[in-house]
Amino acid sequence: MIYRVEVSGKDGQDGAGVRAAVVEAGVPARSVRASRVFFVESTDPREAVEAKALPLLGDPVVEDARVVTATDAGTGAAEGGRLEIHLKPGVMD
């Protein structure tokens, strides 16, 4: 199974730069949350993936890391929407 892990800052300020760019482009945005996304392939159950991967992928002192399920992925639509930008594998910028 492939698990999706989202890691974002606890203070909520990691989206401030993205919000400024969105507003500058003329799109109204009240708040923006930026996250790093990892895909973890494992045969382990979700609880085991959370116990092993979350401490490795995020810093528990300043970041929240969570495994996102298909039902969780819809959150954000009620607040206005979700925009994901994925880099192409092997491309460095």
Side-chain angles (χ1 to χ4, degrees):
M1 174 175 252
I2 298 176
Y3 296 94
R4 177 192 174 98
V5 179
E6 288 185 0
V7 180
S8 58
K10 286 188 177 185
D11 61 3
Q13 296 300 314
D14 51 352
V18 176
R19 181 186 176 281
V22 169
V23 170
E24 186 177 316
V27 179
R30 288 183 299 211
S31 66
V32 173
R33 183 184 65 144
S35 300
R36 294 188 322 272
V37 177
F38 299 91
F39 295 100
V40 177
E41 185 173 2
S42 175
T43 56
D44 291 341
R46 178 181 175 153
E47 295 78 21
V49 171
E50 288 175 339
K52 294 175 188 175
L54 297 186
L56 295 173
L57 297 175
D59 180 352
V61 175
V62 295
E63 296 177 318
D64 288 319
R66 64 188 183 117
V67 174
V68 181
T69 62
T71 55
D72 296 334
T75 50
E79 294 93 28
R82 174 184 288 254
L83 171 67
E84 291 192 16
I85 300 170
H86 296 266
L87 301 176
K88 293 181 179 182
V91 177
M92 298 177 69
D93 196 15

